[in-house]
Each structure stands twice: as structure tokens, then as C-alpha cells.
Amino acid sequence: MASRVEIINQGGFRSDGRRQFELRNIEIDLSQQGQADGSASVSHGLTQVIVSVFGPREAKIRSHTFHDRANLNVEVSVAAFSTGDRRKRSRGDKRLLEFAATVKSTFEPVVQTNLYPRSQIDIFIHVMQQDGGLLQAGINATTLALMNAGIPMVDFVCAITSGVHSTSPLLDLTTLEENDVPNMTLAMMPKTQKISLVTMETRLHVDRFSEIVKLATQAGLAIHREMKVAIIGRAKVLTESLESGNRQSGSGMEVEEKYE
């Protein structure tokens, strides 16, 4: 079936000016959001997701309490202005519940929940803008928010969307591309390069699958470098703030001693 839109032009460029394997700009903000223990805002191109993490803390519902580990509670909300589709999605919307369940299952083997028995870690994902790669943005932002909250994890989780147009593999898809080509989202752990998630809502030919997985894994490593820089930068800011506070506290004590 012929494509409805021109995904790649004769010059080899996509609709937003990128090459086949080129990723969109990634913007990461790890500054504190409200009362959250950790938060992260991640943008892949025009797709933006904000994640807030609370906990570990006591579970409000007894059935959500496990004696040997913490329970991960994931909730997803979508801003009405995030897409051209103005249909309001409630928290009980099937697609949002599937999104939350996918994030939960991706992070349960990665977060060291055994360190926090009988507790709950709440992950709130807020979708601010949508233009493809929503699940990848949600997973990447969740990784950073959990780390920002100081919750132990065995590794980063880095996600990327990929697809195939005719015989041409593509990385980091926009909505236009997702609607027109077979695609999947892959999440990987860069330390071991193990894959923690592969999800597809469209058919992808088996001959193309291994090639796409290899390309997506390489893209995940590139995203990991950006995420690692952001985490190290955030750690430096917090360390400098702590050292500055200690110096001020120390100078205050010296003043008190001087006037005693």
C-alpha cells in the first residue's frame, strides 16, 4: 500500500528535516517540581513529559502492601492541550491504563524494591505535549525522576521508538511517522545492553526486526549519554548547594564564638 504522506523525500530527509537515524533534540530539566521527592521533565522534539516521584512511603491501601518489597504505583494523566485531539482522557481511560501498566512492568525489575518492604513508590506521569515517541519519553523521564528521588536502581532504562518505511529504518518517530509506518518502542539498560521492553502495535516483518533492534540499542546508548550528563549535573548542583549551606552554617558558628 502506498504511503499517504512523504515520509522520506528524494534527498533522504524526513518531514522535520532529519536523516533516517537522526534523533530529535532532547531537553532534560531535573529541577524540583512541587513537593515531589524527585522529578524530571523530558522533551523529545515536541513531545514533553513531566514525571513526579513520591516515596518510598507507607501505602494507603493495604492490598498494595507487600511484606518483601515496595509496590510501584504508576498513574498517567494527559493535558487536554497536549494534542490536536481535544477529547478528554480520564485516569480510567484504557490507553492510559495500558501506558501505566507498561511503565510499571518495565521498572519493576530495575528498581531495587526489595530495599523498601511494606512501602509504596508513586510515579505520576504528566503528558504535556505529544508528537510521537510518547512511551519513550515517559520511560526516559521516569528513569531520571526515580534517580533524582535517590531511589536505587540496577541501571538506567533508555527508550526509543523505531520503524521501517519501505526498506528504510527510522529512529525517534514523530506522530506523522508513527501513523504511517510499522513501528515499535524498545527500552534497554545500557550497562548490560539487555532489553527490558519491546512493544509493537503494528506488524513488523521478521527480516527487519533484528536490524531495528540493533539500531534502537545504539540509539539507546546515545540517549543514555544525555541522561547521564543531566544526572551528573544535577548531583553537582545539589553538592554545591550542600557545601554552601555548610560553609554558611560554619561562619555563623564562628560569629557566635567571637561574641561569646
Side-chain angles (χ1 to χ4, degrees), residues 12-258:
F13 291 97
R14 294 152 71 173
S15 58
D16 59 2
R18 288 182 292 147
R19 295 282 188 179
Q20 274 179 257
F21 307 140
E22 195 173 347
L23 306 182
R24 292 177 289 182
N25 288 334
I26 304 173
E27 294 183 9
I28 298 171
D29 181 6
L30 299 181
S31 57
Q32 196 69 17
Q33 300 277 347
Q35 300 299 313
D37 293 302
S39 56
S41 171
V42 172
S43 298
H44 290 275
L46 297 178
T47 296
Q48 183 188 17
V49 171
I50 298 174
V51 175
S52 301
V53 171
F54 296 84
R57 58 189 181 182
E58 185 180 353
K60 295 179 181 178
I61 304 174
R62 180 170 289 185
S63 61
H64 292 176
T65 303
F66 303 107
H67 73 278
D68 60 341
R69 59 186 171 88
N71 175 45
L72 293 186
N73 174 53
V74 182
E75 296 183 19
V76 181
S77 61
V78 178
F81 52 78
S82 67
T83 178
D85 177 14
R86 293 290 176 170
R87 183 163 64 90
K88 187 176 181 181
R89 292 189 181 274
S90 66
R91 289 187 186 275
D93 183 274
K94 184 181 177 183
R95 290 192 67 83
L96 296 189
L97 292 176
E98 288 175 355
F99 189 118
T102 301
V103 173
K104 179 182 172 78
S105 63
T106 301
F107 282 92
E108 278 180 330
V110 183
V111 176
Q112 296 185 39
T113 54
N114 60 302
L115 299 177
Y116 305 105
R118 297 185 176 277
S119 63
Q120 180 168 304
I121 298 171
D122 293 303
I123 300 169
F124 298 103
I125 301 174
H126 310 282
V127 179
M128 307 306 292
Q129 292 185 101
Q130 298 184 59
D131 184 31
L134 185 57
L135 181 58
Q136 81 173 40
I139 289 173
N140 293 338
T142 299
T143 296
L144 292 167
L146 286 166
M147 289 187 168
N148 204 6
I151 294 174
M153 299 168 64
V154 298
D155 200 353
F156 284 74
V157 182
C158 307
I160 188 72
T161 56
S162 52
V164 179
H165 170 64
S166 184
T167 59
S168 303
L170 303 173
L171 290 172
D172 198 3
L173 308 185
T174 63
T175 296
L176 185 73
E177 293 165 340
E178 283 184 346
N179 290 339
D180 208 67
V181 305
N183 63 85
M184 70 178 190
T185 299
L186 178 145
M188 53 83 70
M189 294 181 281
K191 194 184 296 180
T192 59
Q193 295 192 27
K194 287 184 178 179
I195 295 170
S196 55
L197 168 74
V198 175
T199 178
M200 291 185 289
E201 293 187 6
T202 52
R203 291 183 180 181
L204 187 63
H205 198 282
V206 67
D207 292 344
R208 295 286 170 192
F209 185 77
S210 59
E211 179 186 10
I212 292 296
V213 168
K214 185 177 179 181
L215 285 168
T217 301
Q218 292 172 353
L221 293 174
I223 290 172
H224 169 244
R225 288 192 289 271
E226 298 285 342
M227 294 166 71
K228 190 175 180 180
V229 167
I231 285 290
I232 292 172
R234 176 65 174 166
K236 285 181 178 178
V237 169
L238 293 175
T239 302
E240 289 170 0
S241 175
L242 188 63
E243 289 175 349
S244 175
N246 288 338
R247 283 197 297 270
Q248 289 178 3
S249 175
S251 63
M253 290 172 63
E254 289 171 6
V255 170
E256 287 179 8
E257 290 170 1
K258 183 179 179 181

